[in-house]
Amino acid sequence: MKYQKISYLVVILVVVSSLLILFKPYFYSFRGYGVKYEGEEVMLPRPDLKGEMSVEEAIAKRRSVRYYKDRPLTLKQLSQLLWAAQGITEEKKKFRAAPSAGATYPFEIYVVVGYVEGLKPGVYHYDPFKHSLTLIKEGDYRTDLQKAALNQQWVGKAAVDIVLVAFYERTTKYYGERGYRYVYMEAGHIGQNIYLQAVALGLGTVAVGAFHDKEVAKIIGTDGDPIYIFPVGVP
């Protein structure tokens, strides 16, 4: 009888431990962690939750676009793109537009701005909780980013370049080595959101994965690991 009680206790402990490992990240999904910068802050226009183009039409029209006209994006368009990438879609639990393993949200979004109406050129960090941009450094760094991206001209010609930067430890501390796989999966989710939102706005983008990681990180001023660059412009 004594051994039976011990067996039950062991089973209960194993089940509870497994549940904690599985669901622990969700307990913290409300927390506002993330990289914070001190600098000039620009509040973005509220994103639209309804558009004129259906999801089906956006999927059908999605293409990689590498050539852009010399025309600016509006602040409203940039706002919508950033919301689609990592915007808050559920205020209470702070869930975001792209799914994340255990709601660990390993990505930070940076924007290299060259040509946006009402926004000075510079490198910005996106804060999804405030839906705002913080200026990290002023100046047009598109050419520098193009050089770091193996001189792919669309990086330098786009009105803006959205850079996805991963902080792996946010996910791997819960999921171990498999967390790296989840981070790359999430990059794909975010990227597809950017693609479809660009199509719906009449804009063009292309996923760029060929670049020198350390050079890109230095340009945008981050300790994280750049995973993707998304040039965005008027096709």
Side-chain angles (χ1 to χ4, degrees), residues 13-211:
L13 287 173
V14 169
V15 171
V16 171
S17 298
S18 299
L19 289 174
L20 285 174
I21 291 172
L22 183 62
F23 293 106
K24 185 180 179 182
Y26 290 99
F27 300 156
Y28 298 94
S29 63
F30 61 87
R31 67 191 170 202
Y33 67 36
V35 177
K36 302 296 182 185
Y37 289 93
E38 297 293 332
E40 180 182 336
E41 187 176 29
V42 178
M43 300 305 297
L44 295 168
R46 291 182 63 83
D48 293 328
L49 301 184
K50 291 185 179 181
E52 297 180 0
M53 184 179 293
S54 69
V55 174
E56 294 83 359
E57 185 178 356
I59 292 173
K61 291 183 175 181
R62 188 214 58 78
R63 299 290 185 275
S64 291
V65 179
R66 294 177 173 82
Y67 300 99
Y68 315 109
K69 296 176 182 176
D70 187 21
R71 288 173 52 185
L73 265 59
T74 66
L75 194 60
K76 177 69 174 177
Q77 288 172 327
L78 181 57
S79 168
Q80 197 71 33
L81 287 163
L82 295 175
W83 174 82
Q86 280 285 271
I88 301 298
T89 58
E90 210 284 348
E91 286 298 329
K92 185 177 180 180
K93 296 182 179 180
K94 303 302 181 186
F95 290 149
R96 304 190 192 181
S100 178
T104 50
Y105 303 116
F107 279 94
E108 297 288 333
I109 306 295
Y110 295 80
V111 190
V112 177
V113 173
Y115 201 12
V116 176
E117 293 177 354
L119 193 62
K120 65 178 67 172
V123 177
Y124 293 81
H125 172 257
Y126 175 59
D127 185 335
F129 302 99
K130 292 183 177 181
H131 193 55
S132 67
L133 289 172
T134 301
L135 180 63
I136 299 174
K137 54 183 179 181
E138 190 174 347
D140 191 344
Y141 289 90
R142 290 177 298 172
T143 299
D144 293 339
L145 193 63
Q146 175 181 323
K147 292 176 181 177
L150 311 184
N151 205 35
Q152 296 177 73
Q153 294 184 13
W154 31 94
V155 174
K157 297 294 185 181
V160 303
D161 290 290
I162 299 173
V163 185
L164 275 56
V165 176
F167 290 80
Y168 295 108
E169 64 277 6
R170 295 182 190 173
T171 304
T172 57
K173 69 180 178 181
Y174 296 116
Y175 297 110
E177 289 297 309
R178 197 167 186 84
Y180 289 101
R181 178 181 297 190
Y182 296 155
V183 171
Y184 293 128
M185 289 178 179
E186 187 169 336
H189 302 323
I190 297 171
Q192 183 72 338
N193 279 9
I194 293 172
Y195 259 109
L196 297 180
Q197 186 64 82
V199 171
L201 293 172
L203 302 173
T205 189
V206 60
V208 173
F211 49 78

